[in-house]
Amino acid sequence: MKDDRYEIRFGGSGGQGIILAAVILAEAAAVYDGKKVCQTQSYGPEARGGKSKAEVVISDHEIDYPKVIQMDLFLAMNQVALDAYFFDFKPNGLLLVDSTFVEQMPTSRVIAIPFTRIAREKFDRELVANVVALGAVGHFCPAVSIEGLEKTVLKKVPAKTRDMNSQAFLAGVEAAQSFDLSRLPRSVISDEEREV
Amino acid sequence: MKDDRYEIRFGGSGGQGIILAAVILAEAAAVYDGKKVCQTQSYGPEARGGKSKAEVVISDHEIDYPKVIQMDLFLAMNQVALDAYFFDFKPNGLLLVDSTFVEQMPTSRVIAIPFTRIAREKFDRELVANVVALGAVGHFCPAVSIEGLEKTVLKKVPAKTRDMNSQAFLAGVEAAQSFDLSRLPRSVISDEEREV
Amino acid sequence: MARDQNGKTRLLQGNEAMVEGALAAGCRFFAGYPITPASEIAELMSVRLPMVDGTFIQMEDEIASMGVIVGASLAGVKSLTATSGPGFSLMQENLGFACVTEVPCVVINVMRGGASTGLPTSPAQGDVMQARWGSHGTHPIIVLSVSSVHDCFEITVHAFNLSEKYRIPVVILSDEVVAHTREAIVLPDRKKLEVVERIKPSMPPEWYQPYEDNSRGVPPMASFGDGYRHHVTGLVHDAHGHSTQRPEEIDAFQRRLFRKITNGFYEIQMTKSMLMEDAEVAVIAYGSVSRSALRGIRMARKKGVKAGLLHLVTLFPFPKMAVSGVLRQCRAVLVPEMNLGQISREVKRVNTSSKVEKINRIDGQLITPEEICERLREM
Amino acid sequence: MARDQNGKTRLLQGNEAMVEGALAAGCRFFAGYPITPASEIAELMSVRLPMVDGTFIQMEDEIASMGVIVGASLAGVKSLTATSGPGFSLMQENLGFACVTEVPCVVINVMRGGASTGLPTSPAQGDVMQARWGSHGTHPIIVLSVSSVHDCFEITVHAFNLSEKYRIPVVILSDEVVAHTREAIVLPDRKKLEVVERIKPSMPPEWYQPYEDNSRGVPPMASFGDGYRHHVTGLVHDAHGHSTQRPEEIDAFQRRLFRKITNGFYEIQMTKSMLMEDAEVAVIAYGSVSRSALRGIRMARKKGVKAGLLHLVTLFPFPKMAVSGVLRQCRAVLVPEMNLGQISREVKRVNTSSKVEKINRIDGQLITPEEICERLREM
Amino acid sequence: MIAEITRIRHKYLRHDKKFPHVWCPGCGIGIVLGSLIRAIDGLGLAKNDLVLASGIGCSGRLPAYVDFNTLHTTHGRALTFSTGIKLANPSLNVLTVMGDGDATAIGGNHFIHAARRNLNLTAIIINNQIYGMTGGQYSPTTPYGSNSTTSPYGHIEHAFSIADLAVTSGASYVARGTVYHVPALDKLISRGIEKEGFSVIEIMTNCHTQYGRRNEMSDPVTMMKWFKDHAVTTTRAKKMSPEELKGKFSIGVLTDIDKPSYTEEYQKIRDRAKGREVKS
Amino acid sequence: MIAEITRIRHKYLRHDKKFPHVWCPGCGIGIVLGSLIRAIDGLGLAKNDLVLASGIGCSGRLPAYVDFNTLHTTHGRALTFSTGIKLANPSLNVLTVMGDGDATAIGGNHFIHAARRNLNLTAIIINNQIYGMTGGQYSPTTPYGSNSTTSPYGHIEHAFSIADLAVTSGASYVARGTVYHVPALDKLISRGIEKEGFSVIEIMTNCHTQYGRRNEMSDPVTMMKWFKDHAVTTTRAKKMSPEELKGKFSIGVLTDIDKPSYTEEYQKIRDRAKGREVKS
Amino acid sequence: MTPEEETVRNSSSTEVQDEYWEKKLEMEKKGKKLFKQQIFLDWCKGCGICVAFCPRKVYEMDEMGSPVIVRPDDCIGCRFCELHCPDFAITIIKRYPDRRRRKSDGS
Amino acid sequence: MTPEEETVRNSSSTEVQDEYWEKKLEMEKKGKKLFKQQIFLDWCKGCGICVAFCPRKVYEMDEMGSPVIVRPDDCIGCRFCELHCPDFAITIIKRYPDRRRRKSDGS
Ligand SMILES: Cc1ncc(C[n+]2csc(CCOP(=O)(O)OP(=O)(O)O)c2C)c(N)n1
Ligand SMILES: Cc1ncc(C[n+]2csc(CCOP(=O)(O)OP(=O)(O)O)c2C)c(N)n1
Ligand code: SF4
Ligand code: SF4
Ligand code: SF4
Ligand code: SF4
């Protein structure tokens, strides 16, 4: 078994659209990139609001365990979700945060972009923050092609909001492009030492 | 284990009061004669009518199996019940039938008394046929005392019918007294051969 | 119908003796829905309970009946319901609620023949596994069985005692034969009867945690109205009774529910051995079949077979120890049941060595002593 | 929502794939009552069924839902309901009715955490024994499990096929993880799919005996309206469908119900072996836990432990043969479950030699590969 | 020449079923069965297209005796099975026979919901005001103050009006008859079967064995006379004062309204679905 | 000085329970909770003697937040547990909170039977016309023609009138209020609690998340305005013509009658039993 | 369908005819018709309904509890007995005094 | 109990006072009273009910979706917001212009 799992987690509060974002990512990887995917989620008892998480595992091979074992990429849309779901972050994983709401970072391998502020300011619709974030995720995630992801976004949103979403997605990609991943510090603990 | 079971079955149609008769017999044996007893019954799906049977096992010792294994005494109040429930009659058991309704006898160890006719003619109430029969049963059954049985009958029936029931009971005893048990043929198959 | 007939010999049906047992154990509440062959219990309760300031109510169905008795028990009154298979199936959801909220109550199931409507007036033992596993999800429960009128009285008292002591619903499995057989019985003196009451909180109300763990695993139980206001929920809950989704709290809670039963295992597991001293083959039986078994064994002994009986009173938690002992002692064990093999599966599960055989009847007839004797001779 | 997406890759939730499987198997009727985590099945059915002249109805509760699908199946339409633990408890009575009247139908239970209301949004495997024993009385039933979105499609088709072929209700146990996980799936070409239809009577109506015994033990089934007027009852019945109290007819009837399943045992028992060729220790698992198990086994193998997996698809009738084989081959066997040990009891029952160990989680969390790997290393 | 009535009986009674039937001597359920047969025969319905379902109870035994597609379900649930049958094959005529306990105790919820949905079903409720089969326990229609095996000190609950419940819940047709007023009963049933939408026929019946015996009416004749004396037709009832009506009950058609049945409505859903108008 | 309202909240809200509560922003259930607290406080009932039971659903979460003897039962069965509590200890005040699905779908039978028995219980039905907790499936009170996740082509069933059902079944007191008309609601609840016998308060509530969103009222404000515009008081309704009333619903006290409650009646049974007057 | 059955079945409303046989009594005055009563004793359970309600006292109970036809010619063909026998044990047939060949029919 | 609460609670019938604050508006004309609004932001979920229904537009929504008190002195003490806040996040207290020492109360 070649272990080529790429594991992504989305954390936020109910209503921030993170499950939809995860579904879009998974569908893009499956349909456009021909990958195997597993997309899962969990949420609290609150009808609306409360913290929730969504996960995507992407692989070239049949996926056994469907949930994240160690995150390669973690998108945290607020502080509560970041604190709650950070625990199984891979030493050399990448943390992506919505700096509109997140202030304290548990790792230095982090990229902070104000997704919600971008959504609010550029599109006057906080609701599209998840699509902005998805643009950034698409940029950083090696397991999915940016084109497939964009197509899937447009397929999944209501027809009349397609334009706005397309722009939101691009805004996310652009915001991400200004960061240089190689500048981030690397963990000194190797994955092997952690006995994955 | 001394096997001193005395087993009695009552067969008739629903409404003939055979369950009540069995209950009275059992209670008499238990309360007045200090015996161990088990009283059971079974009936069909019919709300009223249909055939039904009631059984009493009497012993000086704790009773294990609660149902009749082989009858010492079988009171059959009609032909249908006689035919249906005769199968486990003891070779030297005693069959008591209500000759008002029973015509064909499967054994010669039989005593035929027209209980219902007696009830109808003497008391103008067919309903007391079961008490008449109980008098006869009391007479023939060595496991229960006739006094206790009579007392129990009177305890169990409505106060205003006590007189009639007392007379009905005595009518049964009398009818029975005219028979001589020792005149009945004895089975040639011994109980032991039948591997009880 | 007089209240003080203790000490005198009475002829009672199994169902009637259960009513006497319940009343003697302090039961003061009955809710039920009629069903053959359990209806006599309700009928007699409707006569007796109001005499002792108790309450009888016939509900619109068995779901409601089960809900009502849990409610009554929460208000501090020992409660009972009685039913048969179809009704027992309907009670499962609320029975599970009682298990996880730890509300004492007793449920009598007088088993009848067949699945579904089946054979309403025939005996069977088809609901044994259901009594243990009928409600969804992981939960403990105690299941007892009765085989005689005397048992009906005594085991019903035990059932209430265990239920109160461990805060757990207790199911008593009776069957049509036991329920409708009349036997002579002398009811014991009420004063000499051991009657257990649930432990109530003694701390000041602010300190009360309704589901706090303690060494016994059984938290004291306040009744509604006692001044210990608390929350009761069928959601998995923390020590305060509030719902939780924290894995460590969930785990601790669920395991405590089982631990309290394990702690009390020796008291809860009730079995009777008869003719076992020199037994080479044994019958493991329960309910009315155990009586056929005893006679069958006696018959077999007459023919030279050294047979003995392990009569199970407690069916769940399964009396492993007693059964293992028999399995070790005997070269073969026979499990006669009026189903296609339910307790025999449990026996096989704990078995490591002996031959385990089954006799099964599912035709609405009580297994006879002959059948058992014959099989014992072959073993 | 388009109807012809077969051949294309789609991202589906387990629950959605079950709907696709049901429709592909010819299911045209759904009755249900919403409950987490099964509601999506009903919701999607409400969209899809009317498109194909099928019928969706949301009933007042789960008791009604179960009654409705049995009715619909009697009228000749393949029918489905879906629920979770609390609703499954309520369905037991009518499910038993379907078993003894031999009405094909499929019941999906998406298991959730805890007994009672429990943990509505967490996964568990607490209803396994209930699926087999939840209804009162002696009756057979088939229980299957699913572990992936692909299974959800395929096993649902199998479930309908077995149900129609053997005239028996089939329960599919899913769990919250499987139900809500989205995976890529390519739905197979409908034309290539094996779809079984119940056998209808071909004799003239006067000759039709609705419950006649034949070599398969499965009598042909006429739908109401087909011209083969007959009587259907939950009472124990004779070959004509009329209630009977004759012991020999009762026995013959009840045993046939089991015989038909025994006859089909090899087809019904579905298991998958993975990495078993050289295995010295094995994991026996089902549902989402089998996926943790597979990864755990792979991890253990990296550390030198020769571990393998027996993945049970069919849970009841319990796949004795496959399990015995593994027990014979391996020195120890591990049964991880999200309950306190249900299938592990069955494994122990058929076990004669191997060490059988358990891993149990009841805290609403999926058992992880690490836990399994660690235990495998200790065995 | 065989008498017409005998011909009808031969046509509808089942030959492979044992007669006389299981009911007590004089039980009104047999009278209902006769009425039902005549109503069906009068309407000329094909036996193959007729489904007769029941729950559990003395009344539940009725379908077994007639040569239709018959179904003896679980206690209280008959209407749910009938719902499935009707929706799966709307061309069938689906009749459901229930006892009062069956329909309004354990089955009360299915009853009001079937009425609310206006399913095209005919519900025949045999109201003997008691649980007959299980031995005379009180039912939701047992009168206040009467006796039963579970109200040995007199019954303290108030009875449902089955008809009122049906009307409030939305039934299209609601009627009440008795086993004394048989020719009228034939008609009430026949109209109920003809009705599109949910129709309810409540039939007051004698269970002298379990109800009558404990309430000073221990034989069928006394009970039938009671029905004769206490029933007033709806038309007559309208002309009577509340005092005159006290202790009486009305018989005849109580409600008869027209509204689309569930089957009709669901066909619209199918049409919309095929046109893909998903509204939400 | 602490404000009176804050004092009341502190007195009744549970301190060991996490706030803010689980409900959606703007959900009317929170408003009902406030109203209930004020009603109870106004009546001066002792917290120790008050039991608040609920079923399952968003509404079912209500009792957990208040410092009474509280009970969160199974779906639809709350009234059965309450029945047991009340009968076992009649000195307790037993209130039961239910959702519309809880009370009239799965729990419909217990509801009509509790009313029939006239149990001395207060039933508070939070009617948001939808299954909130499970994600917006239709309930027995979802209006004909509206949308839900299980009626994607428009709903074809007719809604129950909860109040009519309660009246027909025998409830002593039946009232309807809304979360917009809060001061009146406080009163309606308070009267219901005071009433001997079975009392029902139906409260029209906004579930904009599951109902409103699919029916063009996606926020709480729009839904509350809808209640404001469509509710008419019973007194006003009496003066309106049927056309004027179309599409409106009435609020206020709908029924208020006096009859002995079950508790009272059962006490008589006990008295008779002790005098040994077994009637049958 | 016999004329009597027609009368019963076509009664113009669902109104209940409590005393429908009284009308028959009147009819009878106009022209006497004869009817034959058949009782299938195998099915009869002796409930006594026919005996109690027959307006012309056609039946009586024998000592074994079975109805016997004692006044066959008094029958006015109202069919109350036929319609109310719970056990389908009674059939009323028109009798043709002039054509007695159908003796094998029973009764 | 404050006089306002009394007004609300003692309304003489269960009749619904759809426009009860309109009466308050009239009252207000007679003699101006001052009220203080407290919002417990920890509990507020930003549903907007207070903002939408306050008859004097005392509240507005900030850009983060939280209500802010913009016109405190316009408040007429009708308590609509207090009674309708689903999250118990609003308290209305009478304000005494002359005694400002209770600043620590918040708001
Ligand atoms: C779930 C369930 N509970 C209880 C019963 C027992 N039971 C059978 S019939 C019946 C009631 C009979 O009364 P009713 O419905 O009025 O019919 P009747 O016998 O009077 O015709 C009951 C309680 C059952 N069969 N199933
Ligand atoms: C037996 C059972 N069936 C189904 C469910 C799932 N369930 C939980 S709440 C609910 C309905 C919620 O609707 P309602 O009662 O109207 O309350 P709301 O959430 O709208 O307040 C359902 C179907 C359950 N918990 N138990
Ligand atoms: S018990 Fe009553 S309802 Fe049942 S058959 Fe007898 S008379 Fe009829
Ligand atoms: S889903 Fe509806 S009922 Fe539930 S909390 Fe949200 S708004 Fe309230
Ligand atoms: S009515 Fe029928 S069953 Fe009754 S006595 Fe007459 S013939 Fe016999
Ligand atoms: S038809 Fe029957 S009831 Fe009428 S008069 Fe003739 S015998 Fe009597």
Side-chain angles (χ1 to χ4, degrees), chain B residues 41-60:
Chain B
Q41 61 269 314
S42 75
Y43 29 81
E46 290 83 2
R48 266 302 174 85
K51 61 181 192 295
S52 69
K53 75 168 191 244
E55 300 181 345
V56 182
V57 178
I58 305 175
S59 171
D60 288 326

Side-chain angles (χ1 to χ4, degrees), chain D residues 69-88:
Chain D
I69 69 160
V70 174
S73 184
L74 281 167
V77 178
K78 291 185 186 176
S79 304
L80 174 71
T81 188
T83 187
S84 185
F88 194 54

Side-chain angles (χ1 to χ4, degrees), chain F residues 9 21 23 180-181 187 235, chain H residues 9 15-16 18 45 84 86:
Chain F
R9 283 172 198 157
H21 47 54
W23 300 302
Y180 177 79
H181 307 88
K187 280 230 135 38
T235 25
Chain H
R9 200 166 301 133
E15 282 298 317
V16 178
D18 253 26
K45 293 184 190 139
H84 287 80

Side-chain angles (χ1 to χ4, degrees), chain F residues 253-266:
Chain F
V253 176
L254 307 173
T255 293
D256 191 346
I257 55 175
D258 286 321
K259 58 178 178 180
S261 77
Y262 194 92
T263 320
E264 253 177 74
E265 294 273 13
Y266 199 78

Side-chain angles (χ1 to χ4, degrees), chain E residues 147-276:
Chain E
N147 297 310
S148 75
T149 50
T150 45
S151 53
Y153 308 101
H155 191 43
I156 60 171
E157 298 188 5
H158 298 274
F160 270 144
S161 157
I162 294 179
D164 289 355
L165 260 186
V167 173
T168 306
S169 306
S172 286
Y173 171 92
V174 180
R176 192 188 288 120
T178 88
V179 289
Y180 177 78
H181 305 88
V182 169
L185 186 59
D186 293 12
K187 278 232 137 36
L188 294 173
I189 294 177
S190 148
R191 282 208 191 173
I193 297 173
E194 278 181 300
K195 182 79 191 179
E196 289 292 309
F198 193 66
S199 57
V200 178
I201 302 107
E202 176 186 359
I203 306 173
M204 303 302 299
T205 321
N206 57 305
C207 175
H208 44 285
T209 307
Q210 299 295 3
Y211 180 74
R213 198 153 52 97
R214 296 187 176 83
N215 292 283
E216 288 152 26
M217 295 185 281
S218 57
D219 63 284
V221 173
T222 313
M223 291 204 74
M224 290 186 69
K225 285 196 177 135
W226 193 92
F227 293 138
K228 179 179 181 220
D229 297 340
H230 293 77
V232 291
T233 62
T234 45
T235 26
R236 217 187 291 167
K238 275 186 209 125
K239 295 172 205 141
M240 288 163 72
S241 69
E243 296 87 67
E244 289 174 308
L245 272 172
K246 231 185 128 144
K248 310 268 181 195
F249 62 94
S250 56
I251 54 175
V253 175
L254 306 172
T255 294
D256 190 346
I257 54 174
D258 286 320
K259 58 178 178 179
S261 77
Y262 194 92
T263 320
E264 252 177 74
E265 294 273 14
Y266 200 79
Q267 194 48 51
K268 292 183 208 154
I269 291 291
R270 291 201 183 120
D271 295 343
R272 274 181 227 156
K274 284 183 228 156
R276 296 286 157 69

Side-chain angles (χ1 to χ4, degrees), chain G residues 21 35 37 50 53-59 71-72 74-82 90 92:
Chain G
W21 72 75
F35 296 90
Q37 308 81 28
C50 52
F53 288 101
C54 170
R56 304 309 298 262
K57 304 274 168 257
V58 168
Y59 310 104
R71 281 173 281 274
D74 285 6
C75 172
I76 51 169
C78 72
R79 290 178 194 275
F80 188 98
C81 55
E82 187 184 82
I90 300 184
I92 301 296

Side-chain angles (χ1 to χ4, degrees), chain A residues 47-48, chain F residues 22-29 58-59 128 130 132-133 206-211:
Chain A
R48 266 301 174 86
Chain F
V22 287
W23 300 302
C24 298
C27 174
I29 302 178
C58 292
S59 40
N128 57 17
I130 202 83
M133 178 150 273
N206 57 307
C207 175
H208 45 285
T209 307
Q210 298 295 3
Y211 179 74

Side-chain angles (χ1 to χ4, degrees), chain F residues 140-194:
Chain F
T141 57
T142 301
Y144 181 92
S146 60
N147 298 310
S148 76
T149 51
T150 44
S151 51
Y153 308 102
H155 191 42
I156 59 170
E157 298 187 5
H158 299 275
F160 270 143
S161 158
I162 294 179
D164 289 353
L165 259 185
V167 173
T168 305
S169 306
S172 285
Y173 171 92
V174 181
R176 192 187 287 121
T178 88
V179 290
Y180 177 79
H181 307 88
V182 169
L185 186 60
D186 293 12
K187 280 230 135 38
L188 294 173
I189 294 177
S190 146
R191 284 207 189 175
I193 297 173
E194 278 181 300

